[in-house]
């Protein structure tokens, strides 16, 4: 509408994008192009129930998708979901590599609310860092190999950059390779696709 190639002249001081509720991997290249320069991206893990975590660059090494818990407003418990265990854990009992469902409690800890979000604990020292893997049951599992929604988004972003195309939508589903082995099959939707790609 403004007849400009990007927004850099209109927003010369814009340097940081704060985002929430989605993985940024699929969108950052498009946002950078829209703004006209690379931005710094800082994520918040928020929901209607409250603010649960932040990407703190000094703690996560500027790696998007790694959050630290916001411990000020909620009491957290966790239901361990890997290897079929149903154990409830406190924050002090979390171990690196744990896959847990987030349970949010009221300040008196009398009510536990299951968020349905699957978290993977990436580190516990010097601080707990976690990744939001998606919703419980949202990921895909082909031949006992699990892949999260965020990993799928990262793969789409990689293909978009590698092939220099804008992928507007995609489908991923269990399939079989030419040799008959189980694999992930993909369909990409883009106005940039040609027969050669």
């Amino acid at each position: 509408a403004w007849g400009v190639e990007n927004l850099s002249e209109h927003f010369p001081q814009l340097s940081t994008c704060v985002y929430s509720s989605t993985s940024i991997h699929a969108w950052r290249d498009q946002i950078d192009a829209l703004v006209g320069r690379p931005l710094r991206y800082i994520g918040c893990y928020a929901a209607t129930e409250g603010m649960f975590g932040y990407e703190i660059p000094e703690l996560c090494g500027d790696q998007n998708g790694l959050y630290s818990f916001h411990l000020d407003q909620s009491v957290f418990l966790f239901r361990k979901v890997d290897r079929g265990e149903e154990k409830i854990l406190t924050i002090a009992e979390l171990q690196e590599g744990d896959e847990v469902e987030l349970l949010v409690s009221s300040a008196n800890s009398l009510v536990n609310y299951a968020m349905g979000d699957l978290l993977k604990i990436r580190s516990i020292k010097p601080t707990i860092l976690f990744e939001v893997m998606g919703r419980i049951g949202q990921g895909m599992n082909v031949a006992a190999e699990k892949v999260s929604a965020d990993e799928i988004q990262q793969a789409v972003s990689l293909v978009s950059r590698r092939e220099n195309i804008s992928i507007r939508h995609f489908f991923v589903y269990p399939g079989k390779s030419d040799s008959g082995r189980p694999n992930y099959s993909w369909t990409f939707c883009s106005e940039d696709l040609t027969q050669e790609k």
Side-chain angles (χ1 to χ4, degrees):
W2 291 347
V4 295
E5 184 176 325
N6 58 54
L7 302 177
S8 59
E9 290 185 25
H10 293 279
F11 299 97
Q13 302 299 316
L14 180 59
S15 62
T16 303
C17 173
V18 179
Y19 68 95
S20 181
S21 303
T22 186
S23 167
I24 197 63
H25 301 293
W27 309 107
R28 65 183 303 157
D29 291 341
Q30 293 177 47
I31 295 171
D32 286 349
L34 176 68
V35 174
R37 64 180 164 275
L39 299 179
R40 185 178 204 187
Y41 293 86
I42 298 177
C44 302
Y45 175 35
T48 305
E49 296 80 5
M51 186 64 73
F52 301 138
Y54 300 99
E55 291 176 3
I56 302 173
E58 293 75 17
L59 298 177
C60 69
D62 266 330
Q63 184 176 344
N64 292 124
L66 283 182
Y67 297 89
S68 299
F69 284 109
H70 176 64
L71 301 172
D72 188 43
Q73 298 173 338
S74 303
V75 176
F76 298 122
L77 291 173
F78 308 88
R79 183 177 65 88
K80 195 167 183 178
V81 296
D82 53 338
R83 295 183 296 280
E85 295 184 47
E86 291 292 329
K87 186 176 180 184
I88 302 296
L89 304 173
T90 66
I91 200 164
E93 296 173 304
L94 293 174
Q95 295 295 315
E96 190 171 308
D98 280 350
E99 292 185 7
V100 294
E101 179 181 13
L102 177 62
L103 306 175
V104 178
S105 298
S106 57
N108 59 17
S109 296
L110 294 178
V111 178
N112 288 326
Y113 176 73
M115 294 290 297
D117 289 347
L118 178 64
L119 311 181
K120 182 156 188 152
I121 307 304
R122 291 297 183 187
S123 70
I124 57 171
K125 291 182 180 178
T127 187
I128 296 175
L129 294 176
F130 67 92
E131 179 181 1
V132 180
M133 303 296 286
R135 307 287 288 169
I136 296 290
Q138 179 189 41
M140 292 188 66
N141 188 338
V142 171
E145 178 188 325
K146 289 191 297 185
V147 63
S148 70
D150 189 52
E151 290 169 317
I152 290 170
Q153 286 285 1
Q154 288 182 45
V156 171
S157 179
L158 179 67
V159 170
S160 177
R161 282 195 308 275
R162 185 180 292 161
E163 298 296 323
N164 195 27
I165 58 174
S166 176
I167 297 174
R168 296 295 182 200
H169 196 69
F170 67 90
F171 303 93
V172 59
Y173 47 92
K176 289 195 173 182
S177 68
D178 292 340
S179 63
R181 297 183 63 184
N183 69 358
Y184 295 101
S185 295
W186 298 80
T187 299
F188 296 108
C189 302
S190 173
E191 296 169 357
D192 303 329
L193 287 173
T194 65
Q195 283 188 324
E196 291 79 32
K197 293 189 177 184

